[in-house]
Amino acid sequence: MGSKYQKSVRGPLTLWAFMLEVILILIFFFFTSYETSVKEQEKLMRTYRDFQDVIIMAVLGLGFLNTSLRRHCWSSVAFNLFMLALGVQLTVLLDGFLNQLSLRKMVLNLSSIQISTMSATSVLISVGVILGKVNLLQLLLMTMIEVTAFSATRMVGKEVFNMDNHISMMYIHVFAAFFGLTVACCLPKPLPNEAEDKEQTATSPSLFAMLGTLFLWMFWPSFNSALLDIPDEKKKALFNTYYALAVSMVTAISVSALAHPQGKINMTHIHNAVLAGGVAVGAPCYLIPSPWLAMVLGLVAGLISIWGAMYLQVCLQQTLDLHDTYGVQYTFGLPGLLGGITNIVLMALQVKWTKISTLGYQILTDSGAFSFTIIMGVGSGLLTGMLLNLKIWKSPHVVNYFNDQTFWKFPHLAVGY
C-alpha cells in the first residue's frame, strides 16, 4: 500500500511546527536574557564538559538506541533529534517561568540548557514505546505535553515534597516509562501480522542500536552526576554508576547466553540490560557508601531487565495487548523502580533510629515524591494517548507501521529493504 503521509500530514505538520517555533522565538525575545557575570563565565568552563556529555547521550545514545528494526531506522534517529530540539526550547522557558512564577525576564546560563536537555530526554525515553506507530505531528504534540508535565512534576516535587534537584531529575526514568506505556495503551491494538513482520530486527540496524548503547554506557556517569555540586557526592555518583554499569554489562552477557538452549547471546538483551545498572543507581548514586552495593544494584537490575525482555514483554502483549516497541518498561521502568525504592531505603537509613517520628516523616515524604512522579507519568500519559488517538492527527495506517517509507523520500527502493 502506498504511503499517505505526504497528503495527510504535510500541511498540518508544517503549520504547527512553524507556528510553534515563531511563538518560541517571540517568547525568548521578550522574556529571556543571558547571564553576563564574570562568576558565571568561570563556572561555564567547569561545567561545559558535563553539558557536552549529556548532549552526546541524548543525541547519539538515545538516537541510535532505537534503530534495531530492519525498516525503521531513519525515523528513529531524525525524529529523536527533532523532539530533543523542540523539547529543550520548551523546557528552558517552562523551568524559567515555573521557578520564578512570574513573567519577568529570566536569565539563561549553561545550567539552564543542561537541565532542559536532561528533562527533554524524558520524551526520548517514552517514545521508544510507540516509535513506528505514530507520525511526526503526533510526536510534536507528545513532546509539548510531556515536557510540560515533567517540568511541573519536578517543580511540585521540590516545593511540596522537598526533593532536591538531583532526585527530581533522576526519577525521569520511571516517569518516562510509565508515560510511554500509558500512551501505548490508548493506541490501536493488536498489531496486524504485517506490522509484526516489519518489527523484526536485522544485523546492520542492530549494530547501530549497539552504537547507541555504547554511547549511553560511556556517558551515563556524567548524566547521573551532572546536577550534584558537592565534590564528595559527585565522586560517589561517578564511581557507583560505573560499577553498576560494569556489573549489569557482565550480567547481561552471561544470563543471555544461559537463557538460550545453545548458549547464544541475544543482541536485544545487550541493547537494553547493559544500561539497567545506570538507571537503577540514578537516584541513590550519591548515597551509596561502598562499591559493592552499587555492584549488587547493577546485578539485580541486569537480571530484572533480562527477565523483562524474556517474559514481561510477551506477557503484556498477550494479556493486555500492550505493545512496547523497544522494551522501555524493562530498560528504564523496572530498573527505575528498583532505584527509587533503594533511594527511599538509603534516605531512611541516614535518619537516626532514635528519632522515630523523623524517620516516619522521611519515609512518608520520599515515598510520596516517588509515587507522585509515577502518578503524574500515568496521568499525563493517559491524556496524551487519548489526544493522539484522535483522527485529526492522521495517524499512520496499521499496514504502514515500522516503515521509514511512510515518512521519508527514498531515491530508489533497494531490493531487500
Side-chain angles (χ1 to χ4, degrees):
M1 178 177 291
S3 170
K4 298 180 180 179
Y5 179 76
Q6 293 293 328
K7 295 181 180 179
S8 61
V9 179
R10 179 181 59 188
L13 173 63
T14 304
L15 177 64
W16 280 98
F18 270 102
M19 282 183 57
L20 180 60
E21 196 57 55
V22 169
I23 292 172
L24 288 173
I25 291 173
L26 291 175
I27 296 175
F28 270 93
F29 176 77
F30 287 107
F31 295 103
T32 65
S33 63
Y34 282 132
E35 176 69 66
T36 56
S37 66
V38 176
K39 184 178 180 180
E40 177 59 30
Q41 293 175 3
E42 294 175 352
K43 184 180 178 181
L44 172 67
M45 301 307 297
R46 296 196 305 268
T47 60
Y48 182 73
R49 184 164 185 175
D50 285 342
F51 166 73
Q52 196 173 36
D53 290 350
V54 169
I55 289 290
I56 292 174
M57 277 189 67
V59 176
L60 294 178
L62 290 171
F64 282 103
L65 181 65
N66 297 330
T67 57
S68 59
L69 301 189
R70 61 192 180 97
R71 294 192 180 186
H72 194 268
C73 300
W74 292 12
S75 301
S76 296
V77 177
F79 291 178
N80 176 88
L81 184 59
F82 175 87
M83 291 183 292
L84 178 65
L86 177 62
V88 170
Q89 296 175 69
L90 286 168
T91 309
V92 166
L93 297 176
L94 286 168
D95 285 350
F97 288 133
L98 290 174
N99 287 331
Q100 65 187 25
L101 295 178
S102 69
L103 294 179
R104 68 177 186 272
K105 274 200 172 188
M106 64 188 77
V107 178
L108 302 182
N109 50 38
L110 188 64
S111 296
S112 306
I113 307 175
Q114 178 178 293
I115 292 174
S116 299
T117 303
M118 297 175 72
S119 295
T121 58
S122 61
V123 188
L124 310 186
I125 295 171
S126 299
V127 78
V129 183
I130 61 172
L131 267 178
K133 297 174 283 188
V134 292
N135 60 41
L136 191 54
L137 183 58
Q138 290 172 298
L139 293 180
L140 184 150
L141 177 66
M142 175 177 166
T143 302
M144 294 174 62
I145 297 176
E146 185 167 2
V147 297
T148 302
F150 186 63
S151 293
T153 301
R154 293 188 67 235
M155 185 200 71
V156 173
K158 288 186 286 188
E159 296 295 327
V160 177
F161 297 100
N162 211 21
M163 299 167 65
D164 61 33
N165 211 21
H166 169 80
I167 297 296
S168 66
M169 182 64 74
M170 288 302 107
Y171 284 165
I172 188 173
H173 307 296
V174 291
F175 177 92
F178 282 96
F179 182 98
L181 291 173
T182 309
V183 171
C185 288
C186 302
L187 297 180
K189 48 186 182 292
L191 295 180
N193 292 330
E194 296 87 346
E196 292 177 357
D197 176 67
K198 288 183 287 188
E199 196 190 2
Q200 301 300 314
T201 60
T203 302
S204 295
S206 291
L207 184 60
F208 280 107
M210 191 61 200
L211 178 65
T213 300
L214 293 177
F215 276 114
L216 290 171
W217 199 92
M218 288 189 297
F219 293 108
W220 211 289
S222 295
F223 185 87
N224 281 0
S225 63
L227 300 184
L228 296 170
D229 296 322
I230 300 176
D232 183 61
E233 292 182 348
K234 197 175 188 70
K235 179 195 72 175
K236 287 181 180 178
L238 287 168
F239 290 173
N240 289 327
T241 303
Y242 177 78
Y243 291 131
L245 285 168
V247 174
S248 62
M249 174 69 218
V250 175
T251 302
I253 292 284
S254 56
V255 175
S256 181
L258 179 65
H260 193 276
Q262 299 176 349
K264 295 185 178 181
I265 302 168
N266 189 326
M267 181 60 87
T268 302
H269 297 166
I270 309 308
H271 289 161
N272 301 281
V274 300
L275 303 173
V279 176
V281 299
C285 58
Y286 71 104
L287 297 172
I288 298 174
S290 302
W292 69 266
L293 182 54
M295 297 170 76
V296 170
L297 280 176
L299 175 66
V300 176
L303 292 173
I304 290 175
S305 188
I306 292 289
W307 172 81
M310 293 175 59
Y311 302 110
L312 183 62
Q313 180 89 319
V314 177
C315 179
L316 290 178
Q317 194 161 344
Q318 290 180 348
T319 58
L320 301 176
D321 283 333
L322 179 56
H323 179 263
D324 183 354
T325 304
Y326 286 103
V328 169
Q329 83 269 25
Y330 57 81
T331 307
F332 298 96
L334 296 180
L337 287 174
L338 174 64
I341 295 171
T342 303
N343 181 70
I344 294 172
V345 173
L346 292 178
M347 290 291 288
L349 291 175
Q350 288 191 327
V351 179
K352 293 183 179 179
W353 289 98
T354 55
K355 300 180 179 179
I356 302 300
S357 59
T358 304
L359 175 63
Y361 176 78
Q362 183 72 52
I363 295 175
L364 182 64
T365 303
D366 294 339
S367 300
F370 189 53
S371 301
F372 175 73
T373 302
I374 296 175
I375 292 171
M376 282 294 292
V378 172
S380 55
L382 181 62
L383 171 64
T384 304
M386 294 171 63
L387 291 175
L388 294 188
N389 211 25
L390 297 177
K391 293 183 178 180
I392 60 173
W393 307 113
K394 305 294 183 182
S395 180
H397 194 276
V398 289
V399 299
N400 287 328
Y401 279 6
F402 313 119
N403 196 338
D404 278 335
Q405 293 179 21
T406 308
F407 307 105
W408 296 91
K409 176 184 176 182
F410 281 79
H412 60 277
L413 296 179
V415 177
Y417 174 79

